[in-house]
Structures are given as structure tokens and as C-alpha cells.
Amino acid sequence: MITIEAVRGFLKVQSPGKVIDENPVSRCSVADSADFCSLLPKRETTHLARQGQANPGEREFSDTQVDAECSLVVNDRINYRNPNANFTFVPHNAPSLTANMAAVLRSLSGRCRSPALLLLVSGRLLSSSAVTKPALHSRFLLYLTKHFYDVEALLTWKSKFKRRGIFKKNVYYGYTEKLYGPNAAAAYFILNLKGGLRFRGHSDWFRADTFNWDFLNHKDCPLEEIDLSYSVINYEGIENFEGQKSLRSLSLKSCPEVDDWFLSRLHVFQDSLEELDISHCPKITTGGLAALRNLKGLKRLDVSSLPGISNPGLTVILLEEMLPKCDVIADGYTFDMPQKEETQR
Amino acid sequence: MCACLRLHAGARAAAAALSRAQGPGLGLGLGQGIKAWTCLTYGHRGLPGHVLSHSFGTSAVLRKDFIKDLEDQLNSIKQTALDALPGSSWTPLQTNPNLPPEQADIVIVGGGVMGWSVAYWLKQKERQRGGVKVVVVEKDPTYSRASTVLSAGGIRQQFSLAENILLSLHSAHFMKNINDHLGVLNEEPVDLQFNHSGYLFLASEDVAHIMEDNYKTQRYAGAKVSLLSPTQLKEKFPWINTDGVVLASYGLENEGWFDPWTLLSAFRRKAISMGVIPCSGEVTGFQYKINTVSNREGEQVSLRRISSVRVQMPNSLEYQPVECSIVVNAAGAFSGKVAQMLGIGSGPEDSLAGIPVPVEPRKRYIYVVHCPDGPGLDTPFLIDYSGVYFRREGLGGNYIAGTSPQEDEEPDTTDLEVDHQFFEDKVWPSLAHRVPAFESLKVTSAWAGFYDYNTFDQNGIIGMHPLINNMYFATGFSGHGLQHSPAVGRGLAELIIEGGYKTIDLSALDFRRILCHEPMLERNIV
């Protein structure tokens, strides 16, 4: 039995003995139809004001008292005829999580007969603003996708082609390496991704907007600084410059495909890397920052404005502890304390 | 709509509401409806114009209620009318909608991460849409005793068997691109919360040579592991007490831990979106045909072929025999029991049928401890040579620790109660010895889970049983099923659909080694 406890406005989800998540958090998605009779608070029923039911399957709770305890009977039969139904568990106009706890559950695919509830807990941070409805054209597209296989197939192809495009950009330049050597191949790869690079022993940067073939003159110089900001470099692309043993500085500002696995592969540069800039990368989370443990020689690390990390203050402190010689730069975060409940009451 | 028509509709609605048990039908309760209408309009006093109500007044409020009532009933009758139309899924014979289908191609016994992984890969590898009909049967939809969700969730490539290393490596690659594999259109992307912190194995003098051999195997298979001397260890992790440690093996990449529930849900969601049918029920028996053949020595061997699986509904005597052509046993800790239902293990002692499937549940404890001065963000999943392990949990100074008990001190497996004395006696001393900061820790919580322990050699059993022509096994992983699940699922799907292993050759992990008594021991079991 998975219990969701609302304790002082924080949602604590636990299964027997194990605390899954204990934060002002737990975006709970409940997939499929809402036979909501099983989701009633154990006590304090009066505190939950059930507003009128718009359609069967839509129920809204707004809670003024936060110490009700709800036990969700996890009865897991997803109605497989409606695989795309999903629910989101969001607070009802809650800029402050402490005051209101509400569940808006909506069946997206019409009538669902079987009383089936499955609780999927994702550890995502709950955004403190109410969910805004997506734009009209995307809602229309969603409607079409749910009712027509063709639309669904077309949209799947669209995302597949996009992924294939990124894959092609990060492919291994084996032919170039065979003809011109690893340094020139790495330089060509970086320039193709519209990045910039600097060879060791030279002070001039080679950039994609002022592209010329002069980098072929430096076939024997290893790379010292690489700037791949705003590019689509991903895990596969590292193979192109993995052999650069004297890489000193790597800048990956605002790269959309740089994620935790990318960071874990950076251990190949653990002896030489001194500066790393991974600010504004949306896919990086705290687990990936733990992967930077191998880069003991790092002197400057920029982790500003990472939307994926949940506790930026604590994470930065732990990072500083983990890399003692490193200067950690972390701008773009608002280190607020959560509001105390006393002020709300 | 004028008022009289509305009243007619209301009457019919009332009739339909009255005769709901007999099913919808517009013409059905008309006689009753007229009776109800007269009831409605004549009230309890029999006078026309009075509404059927408990009060004696005819105030405006009551009249509004009456009309709203009628509107509600009109809506419900619209509903029942729509249900009766063709294209809706209403049938007059109301059967239990939770029963599995009467026929399926492949029935997977067990809805843990292994079962759902096999289901996903079967659907991924079917050559045409709807090629195989797969049903996954899980007896506990709350997963309260399932090994998957109670697992510590680690993944490592530091094994001694090449197959295990490759399985973990391929599973890590799968998880790297998990949204390409398990992403569903218009659903949220999968976030495994993978912590890339690596595993750290410590070796004392007597096992250091084993560690070096393992290191060679691991590097040959492609795992990124490094060996550390005690001084290097102390430099990297100043909080470790390197007393008694001669060699350490540290994973650099593709190692760490993640959330097992998310992986299970992702597999499940994607498999269901591809058409796998989930079913909540317990497999209580099989129906099979026996074909007796004689082998080279002239002995009679009886081969069984499963014709249907008997699935019993939870808390009920109702069951459904599912006719199927292939059964996959992914029941985890209870796979031995499932195999027992087919008679494996109950033959004469010296025959093949007398060798049972050597998988049984073993209880393991995990303790959540809190230590504010403990190691920080770079804490790996540390496994000491004494068998004690711990890893970081979250950012607040919490850690998860445990150890495997000795063979003769195995705890009782009837329930999942935690023995806290075990922590004090067996886990804490070694923890405190290895990490001095853990001398002052506090146990905040604990849980217990089952290993699907392979008593033969603690490695997985993947493949067919020679005596049962259509049952495949994917069980017995003894604590590392979760980290191998994507790759094992793929291997088993290749075996079933394509007839042989295509990516990793797992034929060394099949039943032959058990029946020939040739154990393939893993020298790195925690």
C-alpha cells in the first residue's frame, strides 16, 4: 500500500518502510480512470471541499487544512484501451504549497469503465505555479493524436527525425581521422558543430563563423581549449575529441543535449581539465554533478542556472566539498528559504 | 424542448433508473415509467401538481431541485442510450472486466522489472503490429513484496563473469537512451534519477588476486574500471579508513544507482502503449500435455507442453484459463514455486525431472541511516570485503547500508519484518571500522526485500527448460536482476522471436549448467 501523507504542506510518499520521496515535490501522475471513491481522506473529510463534478472522472479537491492523510489504494489495472490517459496532481492555485493541497484529475480519453488507478510517482519538482493550459494548436494536435493513428505516427516520425539529425551531427569522423590525424579530425568536428577551438602553443581561436582551412596546418598540435556552447554535442560526440590528453578548458554553455551521461564520460580528461562551464544546460541533474568527482584537477567550474537541479544551494556546497581546489561559480539561483507555516496560518 | 417533452424524458429517465439492473433499453420500462410519472406528478398525497418530496411545501427551491433532478436523469439516460449503440463496449453479459483474455500468444508470469522488460522487448521485436499477443500476470498490483521496488537500485559492471559484465554494460547503454526506447508520445520523459557515482570494491590481501583477474576481464569486456592502491584511495576519499585494504576497484563510468520504480513504470507504460495486456492475478496452475519419448539409454523421458495457464483473480475463487503457446517465468523469488506446479523437481532423484529449479526467496535487509558528517557528493557505492555495503541517498546526509548474512544465518522468509539487531551486530561494526564518521549515526528507517536467490551458483537462469517445451525462464539473478533487466529482456525476446541470441550470447546462463552440475560462480556477489 503506497501512502501519500500530506504533512505540513509537503507530500511524503512512502511504500512500506521505504521513503520514496520526501520533498515539496512528488509530482504524482495517476494514470487512467478515476474511480475516486478509493481516494478519500481517512479522516477530516470535512476539510476537503468537493466541488461540483464537471464530468465523470474529474474531481477537484481543495484543501484548507493540510493534515489530512490520504491513502491511495493502488489498484493497478491500467485500462489498456486508453493507454494515453494521464493525470497530473497539481496544487490548485498554490503559490504557497503550505496552504493548499489539491488534486485535479482529468481523464483525457473519455469514458473509462474499469475502476483502475495506478500511481506513478516521479521525483520531479512540483512547480509552484498552477498548471497553465498549453496553446490551442498543441491541444488540437493532442486531440488528433489521441484519435488518429496516422497523426500519432507522423508525430513519432517527426521526433525520430529530429533525433536522427542530432545523431548525424555527432557521428564519429573516422575518415577524417584516418586521412589527417586525430587533432585535425577533432578540430573539423568542432567547427562543424559551430564551436570554437584553440590549439596548444597558439593563441588564436578558430571559429565557425570565420571558417578557413588553416586549422589543417596544425595537424600535430593537440587542442587546449574547446568552446562548444550552444551546440548539439552529446555523449556520442565526445568520441571525436576523447584522445586530446592536454585539454585544459571546455565550455558547454547552454547545450541542449549535454546530460548526466555526458558528464560521466568526461572522466577521460581527468588529468588535464582545469576549466569546465556547464551553465544553462537543461538536462543536467544532481546525479550528473556527482559524476564530476573524477575531475580532481578542476580549477574553475561554472554551474549557473541549471534548471534540472532541485536544491541548488545544497548542491553547490556539496560540489565545493567534493572538489576542494575548484572555484565553483553558481549564479542565477534564488536561494530562498521555504515559507514557514506559521506565517500562513 | 418544451416542458412536457422534458417531463416525458424525465419519466423515461426515471424508468431507466429504476430498471437499470436489467440493462438499458428505451422501450423497456415504459409501463413502469408511466407509473413512475404518475408517482412523480401526483405526489404522495395523490394530488396532481405536487412533487414527490419529503416536505410539504412547494417553494421555488424545491421546483428548481426537481428540474435539476430531471436533467441529471436525462443525462444518465443519454449515457445508457449511447452505451447501447454499436461501437460502445457494453455487453449484456457483464463479465468481470479484470479477467485476462481467453487466449494469448505469450503469457509472462510475474510483473516485475524483468517481466515487463521481456514484454516490452517482445513487442519491440515483433515483425508486424499485433504480431504477438502478450499478457503479463502479476499477483500483487501494489508491489508490496516485489523485489524490484525494494531494491537498492545499483548498477555496476564489476563482475567476474563476462556475461554479467556485458549485460550490465548493455543495460547502462539502454538507460542512457531510455527516452528513445521507452518514451511515449505526449507523455512525460522518463527521468531515472541516475546518480553517476560509481562502485568501489575493497579487497583484502587474500582476495586481491581475484580482484586483479576480474579487472582484466572487465576491461576486456569494455567496462571502464580503474584499480586504486591504498594511498590513491586515501587521496580520493579522505573519509575512508584504509586499514586492511590492499586493492580497490573503482568504476569510472556507467555505474551508480537509480530509481527502480521509475524503470518499472517506464517499461510498463511503454509496453502497454504497444499493446501488452496487464492482468492482476495469481498463476495457480497449468494444463499441459505429456509426450513420452525414450532417450539413448532407453529410459522414458516425459516432455511437457503447456497448453493453458490458470490465472486466479485476487481474493476470489474466479479463475481464467489462458490458452497460450509460450510461458515466460519471470516470477522472481517465487519462480521455484511456479516451476513446481509443472512437476519440475518431483521426479525420481537421479533423473532430470528430479532436479528442481534452484531459485528460492532470501530475505535481505536495508537500513537507512543518517549521519550529518558523513561523506559527501562523491560517495560511491562502497562494498567492503566483509560484505557490508553502503551508498548515499539524497543530499541530506542519509545513507543506505546493508550486508548479506552468512549461509547458516539466513533469516526467515515468511514475512518482510526487519531485524534491527542484525544491524547492530553485523552491519554497524564493519561500517564504523571502514568509515570512522559512521560511528555516530542514527538508523532512521529500514526495509526488507527478497532476493531471487539461485542456490546453485547465484547467477541468472535464462532460457528454456529441457523438460518443458514452451517455458522460458528469466530468474535467479540473486540481487542483480534489476541492473540486468533491459539486456536480459532483449536477449529473451531474441530467443523467443528470432530463435537465437543476436546481441549478447547468454547461452552460458541456461539450464544446462544446472542439470550437468557445473556451477558458474560469480566471485563478486553482495
Side-chain angles (χ1 to χ4, degrees):
Chain A
M1 172 94 63
I2 294 192
T3 316
I4 298 189
E5 252 175 41
V7 175
R8 295 176 189 285
F10 287 65
L11 275 175
K12 183 158 129 176
V13 182
Q14 53 191 131
S15 63
K18 176 173 175 175
V19 174
I20 293 178
D21 216 324
E22 191 185 55
N23 265 318
V25 119
S26 290
R27 170 113 184 262
C28 311
S29 331
V30 181
D32 209 339
S33 123
D35 185 8
F36 231 52
C37 306
S38 36
L39 176 66
L40 281 179
K42 268 208 222 155
R43 29 167 228 247
E44 313 295 329
T45 335
T46 49
H47 288 286
L48 290 180
R50 281 230 306 257
Q51 284 153 15
Q53 298 166 14
N55 341 316
E58 175 175 332
R59 281 165 171 79
E60 207 175 273
F61 292 88
S62 78
D63 190 9
T64 49
Q65 277 285 71
V66 190
D67 42 15
E69 187 185 295
C70 303
S71 300
L72 268 182
V73 176
V74 176
N75 178 9
D76 97 342
R77 217 153 298 114
I78 281 192
N79 184 347
Y80 56 86
R81 283 169 264 163
N82 299 303
N84 290 329
N86 79 17
F87 295 77
T88 50
F89 182 83
V90 288
H92 179 66
N93 57 331
S96 58
L97 291 163
T98 52
N100 286 324
M101 177 192 90
V104 173
L105 285 114
R106 184 167 299 147
S107 162
L108 282 178
S109 44
R111 283 186 297 284
C112 302
R113 256 175 212 285
S114 53
L117 270 173
L118 176 73
L119 183 71
L120 297 168
V121 174
S122 70
R124 238 0 124 75
L125 242 205
L126 194 59
S127 64
S128 56
S129 62
V131 164
T132 52
K133 267 188 170 172
L136 181 63
H137 62 273
S138 39
R139 288 209 320 264
F140 179 58
L141 211 55
L142 188 68
Y143 172 82
L144 284 180
T145 314
K146 290 203 186 308
H147 290 259
F148 298 104
Y149 280 124
D150 321 37
V151 178
E152 188 184 346
L154 282 172
L155 288 181
T156 320
W157 289 351
K158 178 181 163 199
S159 61
K160 271 212 185 108
F161 280 134
K162 196 163 147 218
R163 300 247 26 110
R164 198 180 300 176
I166 295 175
F167 168 75
K168 283 250 161 69
K169 280 254 153 196
N170 282 292
V171 82
Y172 178 56
Y173 283 41
Y175 186 64
T176 322
E177 187 184 337
K178 202 159 63 137
L179 286 180
Y180 295 100
N183 300 323
Y188 188 47
F189 169 72
I190 293 165
L191 289 170
N192 263 331
L193 280 180
K194 304 202 178 29
L197 62 126
R198 187 175 75 80
F199 287 101
R200 189 172 65 175
H202 301 82
S203 61
D204 48 336
W205 279 79
F206 289 88
R207 294 234 170 242
D209 41 3
T210 53
F211 182 85
N212 52 38
W213 293 98
D214 289 347
F215 68 89
L216 283 176
N217 300 336
H218 307 287
K219 274 189 234 177
D220 305 322
C221 296
L223 272 65
E224 199 169 38
E225 289 191 33
I226 295 182
D227 176 16
L228 279 166
S229 316
Y230 305 100
S231 68
V232 289
I233 181 102
N234 76 3
Y235 178 93
E236 317 288 334
I238 300 188
E239 210 172 344
N240 282 299
F241 52 90
E242 219 172 13
Q244 302 297 323
K245 291 290 172 227
S246 47
L247 184 66
R248 236 175 26 93
S249 156
L250 181 59
S251 168
L252 297 163
K253 194 166 127 96
S254 191
C255 292
E257 297 293 320
V258 163
D259 58 1
D260 300 342
W261 297 88
F262 186 101
L263 293 182
S264 76
R265 199 169 180 178
L266 289 182
H267 72 88
V268 293
F269 303 121
Q270 61 186 346
D271 304 317
S272 60
L273 196 64
E274 283 171 17
E275 287 180 20
L276 180 63
D277 179 0
I278 44 174
S279 49
H280 301 90
C281 293
K283 286 195 183 177
I284 294 186
T285 66
T286 329
L289 294 177
L292 298 175
R293 58 198 151 90
N294 287 316
L295 304 170
K296 288 293 186 188
L298 210 57
K299 294 212 180 76
R300 193 176 156 278
L301 174 66
D302 191 341
V303 285
S304 319
S305 303
L306 289 178
I309 59 181
S310 45
N311 293 322
L314 187 54
T315 314
V316 169
I317 293 174
L318 289 171
L319 263 179
E320 283 170 1
E321 246 178 71
M322 182 169 88
L323 302 165
K325 286 188 267 187
C326 183
D327 176 25
V328 177
I329 302 166
D331 307 319
Y333 300 115
T334 49
F335 299 114
D336 281 345
M337 296 290 290
Q339 286 182 353
K340 295 273 189 248
E341 208 181 79
E342 286 76 23
T343 59
Q344 287 297 321
R345 289 197 191 158
Chain B
M1 209 156 56
C2 74
C4 59
L5 274 176
R6 218 194 295 170
L7 281 175
H8 275 290
R12 268 190 256 133
L18 286 169
S19 60
R20 192 164 290 286
Q22 287 115 19
L26 290 175
L28 240 176
L30 206 54
Q32 288 173 344
I34 295 176
K35 244 195 263 172
W37 185 25
T38 49
C39 243
L40 272 164
T41 46
Y42 284 91
H44 67 284
R45 272 205 229 153
L47 293 173
H50 280 261
V51 297
L52 183 69
S53 68
H54 293 293
S55 88
F56 294 95
T58 49
S59 61
V61 178
L62 284 167
R63 206 169 287 135
K64 229 196 292 183
D65 267 349
F66 173 62
I67 291 174
K68 192 168 186 298
D69 214 16
L70 279 179
E71 279 182 3
D72 282 342
Q73 283 168 350
L74 177 64
N75 279 334
S76 62
I77 200 181
K78 231 196 295 185
Q79 180 96 332
T80 46
L82 278 169
D83 287 341
L85 284 174
S88 80
S89 45
W90 183 85
T91 67
L93 304 164
Q94 301 280 2
T95 50
N96 186 348
N98 306 327
L99 286 176
E102 286 177 16
Q103 286 172 338
D105 291 320
I106 302 179
V107 172
I108 300 179
V109 179
V113 73
M114 200 54 79
W116 281 108
S117 166
V118 176
Y120 161 72
W121 279 107
L122 281 170
K123 275 301 190 183
Q124 178 77 4
K125 290 199 171 283
E126 67 183 2
R127 304 287 171 74
Q128 58 192 35
R129 185 199 284 260
V132 280
K133 184 169 177 184
V134 185
V135 173
V136 175
V137 180
E138 165 61 39
K139 78 171 179 204
D140 180 11
T142 59
Y143 292 97
S144 56
R145 290 159 64 102
S147 312
T148 302
V149 296
L150 296 169
S151 145
I155 177 169
R156 59 178 162 115
Q157 279 84 46
Q158 297 180 49
F159 291 99
S160 60
L161 210 56
E163 277 85 7
N164 281 342
I165 304 173
L166 287 172
L167 283 173
S168 284
L169 206 51
H170 284 246
S171 300
H173 290 322
F174 180 88
M175 286 186 233
K176 191 174 9 168
N177 303 317
I178 195 162
N179 276 301
D180 294 342
H181 294 288
L182 299 182
V184 178
L185 191 63
N186 291 324
E187 296 281 335
E188 278 185 32
V190 183
D191 176 20
L192 279 181
Q193 294 158 57
F194 201 108
N195 268 282
H196 297 257
S197 292
Y199 266 65
L200 181 66
F201 277 83
L202 302 177
S204 61
E205 251 189 82
D206 35 347
V207 289
H209 64 286
I210 303 181
M211 184 173 270
E212 279 178 34
D213 291 337
N214 291 350
Y215 171 74
K216 288 203 200 84
T217 325
Q218 287 151 21
R219 294 254 24 166
Y220 185 69
K224 310 278 197 303
V225 192
S226 67
L227 284 179
L228 299 173
S229 69
T231 29
Q232 286 172 325
L233 191 62
K234 192 72 183 173
E235 207 185 292
K236 254 190 174 353
F237 306 110
W239 40 265
I240 288 189
N241 168 20
T242 53
D243 214 21
V245 173
V246 159
L247 195 59
S249 159
Y250 186 39
L252 295 169
E253 209 187 323
N254 293 331
E255 290 195 352
W257 58 88
F258 58 95
D259 181 22
W261 180 257
T262 313
L263 185 65
L264 175 64
S265 311
F267 267 129
R268 209 198 138 113
R269 182 180 75 175
K270 181 73 181 178
I272 290 179
S273 82
M274 291 163 106
V276 172
I277 301 167
C279 169
S280 252
E282 188 175 351
V283 170
T284 44
F286 296 92
Q287 277 198 321
Y288 47 87
K289 300 189 182 60
I290 306 182
N291 186 16
T292 320
V293 295
S294 50
N295 65 6
R296 256 193 317 206
E297 281 89 36
E299 294 165 0
Q300 299 287 327
V301 181
S302 54
L303 303 170
R304 291 176 157 85
R305 175 171 282 274
I306 299 172
S307 54
S308 77
V309 182
R310 188 190 143 123
V311 178
Q312 182 138 358
M313 291 294 108
N315 301 325
S316 143
L317 287 175
E318 203 179 351
Y319 70 91
Q320 166 80 285
V322 181
E323 275 180 41
C324 59
S325 65
I326 290 177
V327 174
V328 175
N329 186 351
F334 313 108
S335 345
K337 228 171 39 159
V338 171
Q340 197 77 12
M341 291 174 204
L342 280 160
I344 304 180
S346 37
E349 274 276 328
D350 51 349
S351 69
L352 280 182
I355 304 176
V357 171
V359 177
E360 61 179 41
R362 290 279 175 97
K363 188 156 78 163
R364 295 285 181 266
Y365 305 114
I366 290 188
Y367 304 92
V368 183
V369 305
H370 176 70
C371 176
D373 319 311
L377 194 60
D378 59 347
T379 322
F381 199 129
L382 195 146
I383 304 182
D384 195 29
Y385 50 83
S386 57
V388 169
Y389 57 85
F390 79 91
R391 71 157 170 89
R392 176 180 57 87
E393 169 70 31
L395 297 173
N398 295 311
Y399 304 89
I400 280 182
T403 185
S404 285
Q406 302 293 333
E407 279 285 341
D408 44 352
E409 293 165 356
E410 286 287 344
D412 182 35
T413 51
T414 43
D415 57 13
L416 284 177
E417 289 298 317
V418 180
D419 179 11
H420 292 275
Q421 201 52 36
F422 182 79
F423 180 78
E424 311 252 333
D425 297 336
K426 299 279 189 305
V427 183
W428 200 353
S430 311
L431 264 187
H433 170 72
R434 190 52 60 205
V435 182
F438 280 163
E439 270 159 26
S440 59
L441 54 73
K442 217 158 70 103
V443 180
T444 47
S445 160
W447 72 82
F450 290 126
Y451 271 13
D452 49 343
Y453 196 77
N454 181 351
T455 48
F456 186 66
D457 58 4
Q458 289 89 56
N459 270 320
I461 305 174
I462 306 172
M464 272 211 298
H465 194 280
L467 291 182
I468 304 182
N469 290 345
N470 54 356
M471 179 178 246
Y472 289 83
F473 286 80
T475 176
F477 293 98
S478 319
H480 36 93
L482 174 70
Q483 56 187 285
H484 290 164
S485 56
V488 168
R490 183 178 57 185
L492 206 58
E494 285 167 0
L495 198 58
I496 293 175
I497 291 189
E498 294 168 25
Y501 294 113
K502 294 282 188 301
T503 39
I504 314 176
D505 186 11
L506 300 169
S507 41
L509 289 173
D510 69 359
F511 252 104
R512 196 188 151 276
R513 70 185 205 269
I514 296 174
L515 302 170
C516 297
H517 298 284
E518 295 166 359
M520 288 184 30
L521 284 163
E522 171 62 57
R523 299 193 286 181
N524 245 349
I525 280 289
V526 261

